[in-house]
Amino acid sequence: MDGKQSIILTGAIVGALAVALVKLGNPINMGLCIVCFIRDTAGALGLHRDGVVQYIRPEIIGIALGAFLAALKSGDFNTRGGSAPFTRFILGIFVVIGSLMFLGCPLRMVLRLAGGDLNALLGLVGFAVGIYIGVGFLNNGFTLKRTYSLQRAEGYMFSALQLALLYLLLAQPDFIFFSIEGPGSAYAPVIISLAAGIIIGVTAQRTRLCMVGGLRDLIMFKDTHLISGFIAILVVALGGSFIIGTFNLGFIDQPVAHADGLWNFLGMMLAGLGSVLLGGCPMRQIVLGAEGNIDSVITFMGMLVGSGFAHNFGLAASAAGPTANGRIAVVIGLIVLVVIGFLNTEKAMEVRMKGDVDINV
Amino acid sequence: MFNKVDARGRSCPEPVLLTKRAIDQHPDGVQVIVDNTTARENVKRFAENSGYKVGIVEDGEDYLLTLGR
C-alpha cells in the first residue's frame, strides 16, 4: 500500500470510529475531539470545576499509547526537545482557547461538518485563513529553531502519565470529578474508547495524519498527501452520520455548538494559526509527544492548562454562544500569536550550506 | 560538490521549506540532512513530486538525502 492509500485508509478509520463512538455513547458530532477531551480530562483532575465537562477521556490515553507502541516498533521513537518549549506551551493554551470558542478542535470541526452542522463551515473558513497567515510567517522565515537529542527515558514520561490517567479513570478515587450531566457524562464504554484511541494512535503515527498539515501543505507545496486523510474523515463520517441517524443539516440546534458565525470563524482562525506555528494540530501533538517529542508534550501540557483557564475564566463558549471574556481572550490570542510569529521570524533566513557556498534566502 | 542543507531538529514543515529554497537556488541537486523519519518522508515526497531522484543514506541517527535529476 502506498503512502496515499494508507493515509486515506487512516482517515476512513478515524471517521468510522468517531461515528461508532457517538453511537456507543459519546456526544453527537463529538465521537472524537482532542481539545474537548483534554478539557474533560482537565476537569476530571479538578483543574477546572465546570461540572458538565469532567471525565478522563480514554480516547486521549489510547491515542498516546497507540502512537507510543507504533513508534517503538517502527523505530521512530526518538526523544528530543528544546525547540522553544515555553513558546509552544503558550501556543498550546491559545489553540485551546480558540478551539473552545468554536467548540471543537480541527478534528471535531470536520466531524461537525460531516454531521450537517453548517456553523462548522464558518469555522473551516476561519481555520483556512489562520493557516494561510501561518504559512505567510513560515514563508518569511518563521522558525522555533531546532530540537536536540535528550535522554531516552525522558520520552517515556508522557506515556507513563497516560498510564497514570488510565489508573485514575479505572480506580475513580474521590478527588477525581466525573460529570453526571452534560457532554462530560456522555461517553462510550471505557474499553471501546480506549481501543478506538489505540487504533487511531497507531495508524496516525504510521501515516502522520494531521488536520492542519493538510491545508498547510496544499497551500505551501500543492501537496495533497495530508489533505486526503482530512477528506477521508469527512466522507466516511458523513456517510456514518446518515447511517446512525444523527445527520442534521443547518445552523441552529446543533449539538454542543453555537451559531455565532463571527466567533466560530475567529475561534478556528486562532486554532489554525496556532497549529501551523506549532507544526501540527492537537491530535498530531499527542502523537509526536508519544514518539518522544518533548516539545509536543509541553504543548499538551499547555493545552491541559489552557483548558483549565478556559473554564475557570469563563472563556469557553457554550450552546448559548460565546462569552464576553471568551471574545477578549480570542482577540488577545490572535495578537499574541502574531507577535510570536514576528519575534521568531529570522530575516534573511540562513540556510547552512557546505562547499563554500553561503546563500541567504 | 553538493550543496548541503542541515534540517536536523526542525519541526514540520521546515525541512521541506528549507529543501524547496535550496533547490530554487541550486536546481541541479542538493543534499539534505534530517534526523527523523517524518522529515525524511516529507522531504522525499516533496523532492519526487518536484521531479528529483532521491537517494537516502542512514548515518547514525541522521539521514542524508541526495536529490538529483
Side-chain angles (χ1 to χ4, degrees):
Chain A
M1 193 183 310
D2 73 14
K4 195 142 190 175
Q5 286 172 321
S6 328
I7 198 158
I8 289 172
L9 182 64
T10 299
I13 290 170
V14 170
L17 287 175
V19 172
L21 288 168
V22 169
K23 181 70 182 169
L24 292 168
N26 279 12
I28 296 177
N29 296 352
M30 206 196 280
L32 291 160
C33 172
I34 304 305
V35 168
C36 316
F37 287 4
I38 290 175
R39 182 267 319 273
D40 292 350
T41 299
L45 298 176
L47 298 177
H48 69 71
R49 301 296 169 100
D50 193 339
V52 294
V53 283
Q54 295 176 316
Y55 177 54
I56 297 176
R57 292 280 178 183
E59 290 87 350
I60 300 289
I61 299 170
I63 291 171
L65 294 180
F68 174 68
L69 294 174
L72 274 186
K73 183 160 190 303
S74 64
D76 287 346
F77 184 85
N78 179 13
T79 310
R80 56 202 187 278
S83 163
F86 192 56
T87 299
R88 290 179 188 272
F89 186 89
I90 303 282
L91 291 171
I93 290 175
F94 283 112
V95 164
V96 162
I97 287 172
S99 297
L100 292 179
M101 168 57 79
F102 168 72
L103 293 174
C105 70
L107 177 55
R108 186 178 184 235
M109 176 185 74
V110 176
L111 298 175
R112 281 176 58 177
L113 268 180
D117 179 350
L118 295 177
N119 299 301
L121 271 182
L122 288 146
L124 178 61
V125 175
F127 186 60
V129 170
I131 291 172
Y132 191 80
I133 296 168
V135 166
F137 279 117
L138 283 169
N139 280 334
N140 279 303
F142 172 85
T143 177
L144 293 177
K145 292 280 201 175
R146 64 162 300 178
T147 58
Y148 294 89
S149 201
L150 299 173
Q151 287 280 20
R152 194 170 169 88
E154 168 86 350
Y156 296 146
M157 296 299 120
F158 184 58
S159 295
L161 170 71
Q162 303 302 326
L163 288 176
L165 288 172
L166 183 60
Y167 173 77
L168 292 175
L169 169 65
L170 298 175
Q172 302 196 6
D174 289 344
F175 56 83
I176 294 295
F177 302 88
F178 282 168
S179 297
I180 47 171
E181 55 171 355
S185 67
Y187 49 83
V190 170
I191 185 70
I192 290 175
S193 293
L194 186 66
I198 290 172
I199 293 168
I200 292 164
V202 169
T203 53
Q205 195 280 329
R206 295 314 302 144
T207 57
R208 304 181 294 282
L209 180 71
C210 176
M211 307 310 295
V212 74
L215 281 170
R216 180 198 65 206
D217 290 355
L218 191 65
I219 295 169
M220 286 188 89
F221 308 119
K222 311 270 181 288
D223 179 359
T224 57
H225 182 75
L226 288 175
I227 195 88
S228 49
F230 183 104
I231 292 168
I233 296 173
L234 178 63
V235 170
V236 171
L238 178 66
S241 67
F242 274 106
I243 292 170
I244 66 167
T246 55
F247 186 84
N248 171 27
L249 191 68
F251 286 95
I252 52 160
D253 292 333
Q254 293 293 342
V256 201
H258 62 78
D260 190 325
L262 174 66
W263 292 96
N264 281 327
F265 173 91
L266 291 173
M268 281 322 271
M269 184 172 144
L270 180 59
L273 174 57
S275 296
V276 171
L277 299 183
L278 283 166
C281 70
M283 180 176 68
R284 182 72 186 146
Q285 297 301 325
I286 294 178
V287 171
L288 284 169
E291 285 179 18
N293 187 324
I294 301 307
D295 297 322
S296 291
V297 174
I298 298 292
T299 305
F300 177 86
M301 298 311 291
M303 293 195 286
L304 198 65
V305 168
S307 51
F309 288 161
H311 285 268
N312 287 338
F313 304 159
L315 312 179
S318 66
T323 65
N325 289 1
R327 292 184 177 106
I328 294 168
V330 167
V331 171
I332 291 173
L334 288 168
I335 294 168
V336 169
L337 263 54
V338 168
V339 170
I340 286 174
F342 279 114
L343 290 180
N344 291 283
T345 296
E346 299 176 334
K347 282 292 167 210
M349 188 173 175
E350 197 182 320
V351 182
R352 250 204 281 171
M353 293 281 182
K354 282 187 182 166
D356 298 318
V357 185
D358 271 329
I359 59 161
N360 289 318
V361 282
Chain B
M1 191 69 187
F2 276 108
N3 297 289
K4 211 165 190 176
V5 179
D6 185 352
R8 286 177 293 183
R10 297 298 188 125
S11 63
C12 205
E14 288 180 46
V16 177
L17 199 54
L18 293 171
T19 305
K20 181 169 184 284
R21 289 197 177 113
I23 59 177
D24 285 347
Q25 300 251 338
H26 303 278
D28 290 342
V30 294
Q31 283 192 320
V32 185
I33 184 163
V34 299
D35 64 353
N36 64 80
T37 50
T38 301
R40 183 191 70 197
E41 293 307 309
N42 287 344
V43 170
K44 178 170 176 278
R45 194 174 65 247
F46 170 76
E48 286 173 350
N49 289 344
S50 306
Y52 287 86
K53 288 194 176 69
V54 183
I56 301 176
V57 179
E58 207 171 328
D59 176 18
E61 291 194 341
D62 302 333
Y63 301 93
L64 181 65
L65 284 75
T66 304
L67 282 55
R69 293 288 185 186

